[in-house]
Each structure stands twice: as C-alpha cells, then as structure tokens.
Amino acid sequence: MKIEKVICSKGRTGFYFDDQKAIKAGAKNDGAAYIGEPMTPGFTSIRMAGEAISVQLVLSDGQIALGDCAAVQYSGAGGRDPLFLAEDFIPYIQEVVAPHLIGRELTSFKELAGEINSMTDPKTGKRIHTAIRYGVTQAILDAVAKSKHTIMAEVIAEEYGCKVSDKELPIFTQSGDNRYENADKMILKGAQVLPHALINHVETKLGKNGEKLLEYVKWLHDRIIALRKDESYQPVLHIDVYGTMGIAFDNDLEKIADYMKTLCDAAAPFHLRIEGPVDVGDRTKQMEALRDLTAICDKKNIPVEIVADEWCNTLEDIIYFADNKAGHMIQIKTPDLGGMNDIAEAVLYCKKKGIGAYQGGTCNETDRSAQVCVQVAMATQPDQILAKPGMGVDEGYMIVYNEMQRVLAYEEAMKK
C-alpha cells in the first residue's frame, strides 16, 4: 500500500489562540474577547479564532487516511513554536512535506512518522512546525492502520511492544473560565479527573494570598458530595494554576508547598493535583524549581501531586524532567511534541521512570486529533487523558469517551 496524494484544507479548532503573555499582564475580558494590545509575536489580537489544517492521504487502494494539524491555545508561549495559521502553512505542507510522502510504502508507522517528525526546513535548518508534525503523523498512523486492516491502537501496540488496554482510562475534563457550571457537568457525567479551572491570573482567580482558589476548592469539594450518586465516586481534583502561585508567593517554594497543603486539606478526601505551580521563564530553571518543590512536598508528606507543563514541551524536555523527578506527573501536551511517535515514546518513558504520565493536549485542537490521541493512549496506557477539544465539557468528553469505547468494543470483539 502506497500514499498517492496529499490533500490539505483549512479547518477550525474547538477553541481559540490566546496571547498568554498579555493575559498574564492583566488583559481584561470583554465577553468572549479580551481588551488590550497583544504582546506575543504573530498575534493581531489577544484572542484569535483557532485554526487547523486537515490532511488527507489518498492511498493506492482508494482509502483515505486523516489527520489534523493543530497548535495549542497558548501558542508562542513557554518555549513553543509560533502561531499556526492555515493560509501560511497549507502551501508549506504541499511544497515541503508532501514530496516526502507521495509514493511511500506504508510498512512501518514508526519509521515514516520518525522521518517526518525529524524533518527540518530547507531554508532555516530548524525542525518544521510542531503542528505540521502532529497532523501529518496522525494521518500516517491512520494510513498504516488502514493498510493493515486494523485500528490505530493495534499498530502502536505492535510497533512499540505494548498492549492495548482492556479497561477505560481516566478522562480529565477542563472547565475554562466557567469553572462552576462546567464542574457540575463533569460531576454529572462522572468524569474521573476535574476541573482544570484555568487559574491563570493572580488577583481575579488565585487571590493575592491564594484565598480565591482555596474558596473554589472548598466549593468543589462540597459540590461533588452534593451531586454525586454515591460515595464510590471519588474524582481527582486537578487544577492548572499557570505559574500564578509563584507570582503570588514570590517563588518561595516553602510557602508554595505550605499553601498547597492548605488546598489538600480543603480537598480531602479527594486527591489533589496542581499543574504548573510556578513558571520561572526558563527550561533549566523550571526543571530545578519543580524538582525542588516536589522534594519539599514529599519531605513534608504533603499529599499533592505536582504536574509539570510549561517548558516541558518536547520528548527531550519530558525525558529531562522525568530523569530529574521535576514533578510527580508530566503533561505530555500532544501538539507540542509534534509526532505521534514521540507522544507514544513519552508516555512509555514516564511509565518506565515511575513518573505519572498525563497525555494531555489543548482545548484548541480538533475532533480528529482527539480521536487519534485516544488510539495512541489506549495502546500506551497513560495515567489520564484529556477530554478535548473545547471548553464546553460535554463535547470534548463525548469525543474522547466514545473513541475509547470503540477501541474497547473492537478489542473485545476480536477476542471472540
């Protein structure tokens, strides 16, 4: 089976591109938009409609394999590639990437995806944009699965020496700014990990002394108990604070640890994860800060799990953070890694090192990228996967949950 043609089209994502630097600097909400001037290169406004590029690979037997190129909500921040706009990159894919695909035999996902994921721009010598590597390798995985007449999860399991899960993986749902009503939706649907909460501003969301987040955790604790059907529902509380604890407490790790202990007490008996407690603006310094904060929490027996995110973008970054125990869990933010091959490798490496593997992503991707991510996750079995795209809860949870159930049903049927 060969690839005969590469077709690209502009797509929309499930959310927006947001200028994180401007938001952290205090940009104000204006309905669904933000007021103020953008601060990150490439942005023409603080919030821009999210864009994707759908890639279709036409195979020699007429089948069509699909993948979607997409980038994270906070593009251009935390060491990431710049803003990804379809009109800029469709011609690039056709001129630079497509010639490497057309005519290729679909014998190995790992081999062809590895080649595309390591491609460099012929003019700059830099690796091609992560979003391109992300979407094209999704399509390659689908193409190899179609050539073998199986599902994508089985291709990953075969090529990476793992086994497709026979049970559900915990799904992590994200609320956006609608952190109260959306938390209700999560509880009603029985989401195993919630609510993300988008705590990305000190004064309005964390509180100058952390009081606003503490109040929210207390509310969340009470709300779960009020709405759950029975005590068997014990979701993990996973809250992303975007470095705001570091801002509020002047990056004093002891104070941050003590504050997280207060949050743990408020959350109990529900387990607490805090993502991105600090953001010190540099890869090495970020690793060191999370390493030291993790050690402090462990020494004090604070029952919190610290989740690494910012400045931990690539497979190399994830290996670096995992080797240094910079966090109890690492977000494998799928569009930031690029190739689906690196995503599989990252999950398996974290598991090997005894570090929690959170196969994440962004609200700003598509239904297709979410489906392919589920297929990879069902083979590599991370500790949790993100419901995506969007911030509406219902839609992203549905897409991820349903794809996971398809894999489980397929595996069960094939056993018979």
Side-chain angles (χ1 to χ4, degrees), residues 244-269:
T244 54
M245 288 183 183
I247 297 170
F249 298 103
D250 297 319
N251 286 327
D252 185 320
L253 301 185
E254 292 283 349
K255 288 183 180 178
I256 293 170
D258 291 341
Y259 172 63
M260 288 196 290
K261 171 64 165 60
T262 303
L263 295 179
C264 286
D265 292 342

Side-chain angles (χ1 to χ4, degrees), residues 349-374:
Y349 191 84
C350 286
K351 292 174 68 175
K352 176 183 174 183
K353 299 295 288 190
I355 301 291
Y358 156 33
Q359 187 191 285
T362 176
C363 52
N364 190 50
E365 44 188 302
T366 72
D367 56 339
R368 184 56 183 168
S369 64
Q371 289 169 343
V372 181
C373 283
V374 170

Side-chain angles (χ1 to χ4, degrees), residues 65-277:
L66 305 175
D68 279 356
C69 305
V72 298
Q73 173 189 8
Y74 296 119
S75 290
R80 299 185 177 97
D81 277 353
L83 196 64
F84 183 74
L85 301 177
E87 66 178 15
D88 295 334
F89 287 101
I90 286 178
Y92 187 92
I93 293 172
Q94 295 288 7
E95 295 167 12
V96 178
V97 181
H100 289 267
L101 296 171
I102 296 171
R104 297 296 295 271
E105 288 278 0
L106 293 165
T107 54
S108 167
F109 161 73
K110 197 173 185 179
E111 181 181 336
L112 186 52
E115 180 182 320
I116 296 301
N117 196 41
S118 62
M119 273 189 68
T120 55
D121 182 273
K123 294 180 180 178
T124 66
K126 296 180 179 179
R127 289 176 78 183
I128 61 175
H129 199 291
T130 50
I132 296 174
R133 293 186 268 130
Y134 189 44
V136 172
T137 57
Q138 290 168 35
I140 291 170
L141 177 56
D142 190 22
V144 172
K146 283 180 164 58
S147 74
K148 295 178 180 289
H149 303 287
T150 188
I151 62 173
M152 291 177 272
E154 285 289 353
V155 173
I156 295 294
E158 178 185 352
E159 296 197 27
Y160 288 87
C162 45
K163 184 180 179 181
V164 178
S165 179
D166 60 0
K167 61 180 183 294
E168 295 179 9
L169 303 176
I171 299 175
F172 173 33
T173 46
Q174 53 184 342
S175 65
D177 279 324
N178 192 10
R179 62 187 60 83
Y180 292 92
E181 182 181 353
N182 277 346
D184 282 359
K185 296 179 184 180
M186 297 168 186
I187 299 164
L188 292 173
K189 287 187 180 286
Q192 298 95 330
V193 188
L194 54 89
H196 184 270
L198 196 67
I199 307 299
N200 59 359
H201 190 251
V202 174
E203 286 77 11
T204 59
K205 297 178 182 180
L206 184 86
K208 291 183 178 180
N209 297 297
E211 69 281 358
K212 291 183 181 293
L213 178 55
L214 177 59
E215 179 183 349
Y216 177 68
V217 169
K218 290 177 180 178
W219 175 87
L220 194 59
H221 167 276
D222 293 345
R223 196 64 174 163
I224 293 168
I225 292 173
L227 293 184
R228 66 183 178 181
K229 293 180 180 179
D230 55 61
E231 292 184 7
S232 65
Y233 180 55
Q234 296 278 332
V236 173
L237 308 189
H238 181 140
I239 297 173
D240 192 347
V241 299
Y242 294 89
T244 54
M245 288 183 183
I247 297 170
F249 298 103
D250 297 319
N251 286 327
D252 185 320
L253 301 185
E254 292 283 349
K255 288 183 180 178
I256 293 170
D258 291 341
Y259 172 63
M260 288 196 290
K261 171 64 165 60
T262 303
L263 295 179
C264 286
D265 292 342
F270 307 114
H271 182 61
L272 181 68
R273 292 185 182 130
I274 296 293
E275 183 173 346

